């Protein structure tokens, strides 16, 4: 199948997409995407604070997908040595001086309610309340599931963005849901 690249090019241009990745995720691969993102932000000559916020949101989202994506891609050199890698999608775009980051990955249905509740709660907090909540979560014992992983990641994202977290959950397959997260970061300081 041949994809009409001019249509893709126009769509990406019209949607102001500056970076997109979809596929397997692994630490080294994320490092490569991170390098591309840093270069993209340099080209845009952003204020240092904005650049750091965009990059931090990228890191948190990639870590969340790396750790919690329920969809895996199998690969390996031989049948005896099969490995798997979580899959996800990352999109960076720009509208005026505002950047948007959208990510998506498949997750288990059992996690949907917990993630939804956490995001809904974070969306009720202002910046000062988010700062205090983050500090409180950091002080929880390391064995407490709420103190590590996606919980802190979502708080960190909420602290750095210029809007509320937008999300969607779409049924994907038996026992699975596609989770999409959308945030904006203002390029104006």
């Amino acid at each position: 199948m041949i994809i009409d690249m001019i249509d893709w090019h126009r769509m990406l241009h019209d949607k102001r997409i500056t970076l997109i990745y979809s596929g397997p995720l692994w630490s080294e691969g994320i490092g490569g995407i991170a390098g591309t993102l840093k270069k993209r932000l340099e080209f845009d000559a952003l204020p240092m604070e904005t650049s750091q916020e965009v990059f931090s949101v990228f890191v948190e989202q990639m870590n969340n997908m790396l750790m919690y994506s329920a969809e895996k891609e199998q690969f390996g050199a031989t049948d005896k040595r099969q490995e798997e890698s979580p899959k996800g999608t990352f999109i960076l775009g720009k509208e005026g001086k505002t950047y948007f980051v959208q990510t998506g990955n498949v997750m288990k249905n059992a996690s949907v309610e917990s993630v939804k509740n956490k995001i809904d709660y974070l969306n009720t907090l202002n910046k000062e309340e988010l700062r205090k909540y983050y500090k409180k979560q950091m002080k929880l014992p390391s064995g407490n599931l709420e103190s590590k992983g996606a919980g802190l990641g979502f708080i960190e994202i909420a602290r750095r963005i210029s809007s509320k977290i937008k999300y969607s959950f779409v049924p994907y397959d038996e026992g699975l849901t596609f989770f999409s997260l959308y945030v904006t970061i203002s390029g104006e300081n």
Side-chain angles (χ1 to χ4, degrees):
M1 175 173 116
I2 296 177
I3 296 173
D4 186 344
M5 291 303 291
I6 194 148
D7 285 344
W8 274 94
H9 176 76
R10 285 184 179 134
M11 188 228 10
L12 294 174
H13 182 266
D14 291 347
K15 298 287 184 186
R16 295 171 183 88
I17 306 296
T18 59
L19 180 63
I20 187 169
Y21 176 81
S22 184
L25 304 168
W26 59 97
S27 297
E28 297 83 10
I30 291 173
I33 299 167
T36 301
L37 175 60
K38 282 183 180 179
K39 201 50 113 170
R40 174 75 251 174
L41 297 173
E42 283 177 27
F43 287 148
D44 289 349
L46 290 174
M48 180 61 84
E49 184 179 334
T50 302
S51 182
Q52 289 173 341
E53 288 171 346
V54 171
F55 194 78
S56 292
V57 168
F58 161 79
V59 168
E60 293 299 337
Q61 283 300 90
M62 284 296 184
N63 282 331
N64 284 343
M65 289 189 294
L66 189 63
M67 294 180 68
Y68 301 107
S69 177
E71 186 176 35
K72 311 288 184 193
E73 185 166 319
Q74 304 292 321
F75 63 95
T78 67
D79 288 337
K80 293 180 182 177
R81 198 186 117 233
Q82 288 287 319
E83 294 184 36
E84 64 180 23
S85 182
K87 293 174 69 175
T89 300
F90 172 85
I91 300 171
L92 173 72
K94 185 178 176 188
E95 295 178 297
K97 292 187 177 191
T98 299
Y99 283 81
F100 64 86
V101 175
Q102 185 163 1
T103 56
N105 62 280
V106 175
M107 63 188 293
K108 294 178 181 175
N109 287 349
S111 301
V112 170
E113 193 65 27
S114 172
V115 170
K116 181 186 179 312
N117 289 341
K118 177 158 293 285
I119 294 171
D120 287 345
Y121 175 70
L122 294 174
N123 278 339
T124 68
L125 303 178
N126 63 36
K127 293 297 182 186
E128 180 60 23
E129 292 166 332
L130 284 166
R131 186 184 67 75
K132 288 178 182 176
Y133 184 61
Y134 184 82
K135 285 183 176 184
K136 177 182 169 190
Q137 294 301 105
M138 288 293 292
K139 291 179 182 176
L140 292 175
S142 61
N144 185 319
L145 296 177
E146 287 296 306
S147 70
K148 302 293 178 222
L152 284 178
F154 287 136
I155 300 168
E156 187 63 24
I157 289 167
R159 292 175 62 204
R160 295 184 174 275
I161 61 176
S162 54
S163 64
K164 298 298 181 185
I165 298 173
K166 296 179 184 175
Y167 62 88
S168 69
F169 296 100
V170 178
Y172 185 75
D173 204 350
E174 187 175 323
L176 300 173
T177 294
F178 189 83
F179 170 55
S180 182
L181 189 106
Y182 177 92
V183 298
T184 60
I185 299 138
S186 177
E188 296 182 32
N189 289 331

